[in-house]
Amino acid sequence: MSLKNTWLFPIAYCDAAEPWQLGFQDAATPMMQGIIDLHHDIFFFLIIILIFVLWMLVRALWHFHYKRNPIPERVVHGTTIEIIWTIFPSIILMFIAIPSFALLYSMDEVVDPTITIKAIGHQWYWTYEYSDYNSSDEQSLTFDSYMIPEDDLELGQLRLLEVDNRVVVPAKTHLRMIITSADVLHSWAVPSLGVKCDAVPGRLNQTSIFIKREGVYYGQCSELCGTNHAFMRAPE
C-alpha cells in the first residue's frame, strides 16, 4: 500500500489484495485505468438491462395472472417488439465494442522502451534479467526472486506476497517486459499494473508498462504450474 499526500488528506492506494475485497486494486498504469473504466461502463449497461428485464418480468406476472386474465391471449408473435429486441441489443453491443476494441489495441501497442526486463518462469520462482545492461553472459544483471516463507516475514510484510528480491523500475518510464518460461507454462500477472502475460517455454512474449506512480505492486503466477503454484509471486 502506497500513500499520496493531498492538500486535504492523504490517500492510501490499494496495491495488494485485501480480505473480502470485491473491486479492483487501484490502477497504477493507464492500461489498468482503462480496464477499470471499461468495467464501469459495461456495468452501467448491465444495471439498465437488469432493471428493464425485472420490470418486464414483474409486469408479466402481474398482468397475466390467471385470476386477472382467466382467458389467455392467443398472440404468438409481434413484429414491432421483435424488431425492437433485435436492434436495441445490437446498439448496446456497439457502444460496448468501440471502447473495448480501442483498449484491446492500445494494450498490444509497443512503445519504444527505455528499459527492457526479461522474466523467466521456473517451478516455482521467477528469474529477472535487465537485458539493457548485459555486456556478456558472465556479467549479466540477473537475479532470482523467491517468495519469503511465512516464518521469515518481518513486521509489516504481507503473507504469501513478499519476495526476497524485488524488481525495481522507475516510474513514469516506458518499460518492456519480455516473458518466457524454462520448464512449464506460467503466467506473469500484476493486477495493479493491468498485466497478465503467459510464459511459454521456447517462446518470448512481450508487454509494455508505464507506471504512473511510485509504490510496491504485488503479483503472482496465474497459470497452474505444479505443486507450489500458489507460492510463486512477482512483486515489483
Side-chain angles (χ1 to χ4, degrees), residues 54-128:
L54 287 177
W55 176 76
M56 290 290 292
L57 181 61
V58 172
R59 187 177 184 276
L61 292 175
W62 176 264
H63 288 285
F64 292 92
H65 194 269
Y66 72 96
K67 290 184 178 180
R68 295 183 181 83
N69 292 281
I71 301 177
E73 295 287 344
R74 297 186 178 275
V75 178
V76 295
H77 71 275
T79 304
T80 304
I81 190 64
E82 289 178 2
I83 292 175
I84 292 175
W85 73 40
T86 301
I87 295 178
F88 191 68
S90 302
I91 295 174
I92 294 178
L93 290 177
M94 287 179 59
F95 277 105
I96 294 175
I98 293 173
S100 64
F101 282 138
L103 177 63
L104 184 64
Y105 282 109
S106 64
M107 293 176 69
D108 286 336
E109 183 180 0
V110 178
V111 183
D112 187 21
T114 304
I115 297 177
T116 299
I117 301 174
K118 185 177 181 180
I120 305 172
H122 303 270
Q123 289 181 309
W124 290 268
Y125 64 95
W126 292 97
T127 297
Y128 295 98

Side-chain angles (χ1 to χ4, degrees), residues 8 15 27 32 48-49 70 75 107 112-113 119 123 140 143 149 158-159 165 168 171-172 175 178 184 209 217-219:
L8 238 150
D15 296 326
M32 187 59 194
I48 294 178
I49 295 172
V75 178
M107 293 176 69
D112 187 21
Q123 289 181 309
S140 61
F143 61 90
L158 301 178
R159 174 179 173 269
N165 291 315
V168 181
K172 298 180 180 179
L175 311 172
I178 297 178
V184 298
I209 302 174
Y217 308 106
Y218 296 91

Side-chain angles (χ1 to χ4, degrees), residues 6-226:
T6 62
W7 65 275
L8 238 150
F9 47 81
I11 298 175
Y13 291 106
C14 175
D15 296 326
E18 296 181 352
W20 301 100
Q21 180 177 344
L22 294 178
F24 294 97
Q25 297 179 18
D26 291 327
T29 62
M31 292 303 158
M32 187 59 194
Q33 188 61 54
I35 293 173
I36 295 175
D37 293 340
L38 179 63
H39 170 270
H40 294 343
D41 294 341
I42 295 177
F43 204 79
F44 169 75
F45 290 105
L46 176 63
I47 295 298
I48 294 178
I49 295 172
L50 177 63
I51 294 174
F52 177 74
V53 171
L54 287 177
W55 176 76
M56 290 290 292
L57 181 61
V58 172
R59 187 177 184 276
L61 292 175
W62 176 264
H63 288 285
F64 292 92
H65 194 269
Y66 72 96
K67 290 184 178 180
R68 295 183 181 83
N69 292 281
I71 301 177
E73 295 287 344
R74 297 186 178 275
V75 178
V76 295
H77 71 275
T79 304
T80 304
I81 190 64
E82 289 178 2
I83 292 175
I84 292 175
W85 73 40
T86 301
I87 295 178
F88 191 68
S90 302
I91 295 174
I92 294 178
L93 290 177
M94 287 179 59
F95 277 105
I96 294 175
I98 293 173
S100 64
F101 282 138
L103 177 63
L104 184 64
Y105 282 109
S106 64
M107 293 176 69
D108 286 336
E109 183 180 0
V110 178
V111 183
D112 187 21
T114 304
I115 297 177
T116 299
I117 301 174
K118 185 177 181 180
I120 305 172
H122 303 270
Q123 289 181 309
W124 290 268
Y125 64 95
W126 292 97
T127 297
Y128 295 98
E129 176 183 308
Y130 287 78
S131 305
D132 297 329
Y133 304 100
N134 288 355
S135 57
S136 64
D137 292 338
E138 292 77 14
Q139 298 178 353
S140 61
L141 187 54
T142 307
F143 61 90
D144 297 329
S145 180
Y146 291 86
M147 189 196 76
I148 299 178
E150 188 174 352
D151 296 336
D152 298 336
L153 290 176
E154 298 178 358
L155 184 63
Q157 291 185 327
L158 301 178
R159 174 179 173 269
L160 300 180
L161 289 176
E162 299 287 350
V163 295
D164 53 358
N165 291 315
R166 293 175 175 172
V167 179
V168 181
V169 295
K172 298 180 180 179
T173 303
H174 289 286
L175 311 172
R176 176 174 60 181
M177 290 294 304
I178 297 178
I179 301 164
T180 186
S181 173
D183 38 45
V184 298
L185 289 175
H186 300 281
S187 183
W188 195 82
V190 184
S192 290
L193 305 183
V195 175
K196 183 178 184 295
C197 187
D198 289 340
V200 183
R203 179 186 177 94
L204 292 177
N205 291 329
Q206 71 173 4
T207 184
S208 297
I209 302 174
F210 183 84
I211 302 176
K212 299 187 296 183
R213 55 183 173 83
E214 298 177 356
V216 179
Y217 308 106
Y218 296 91
Q220 64 282 321
C221 176
S222 294
E223 186 75 39
L224 292 176
C225 57

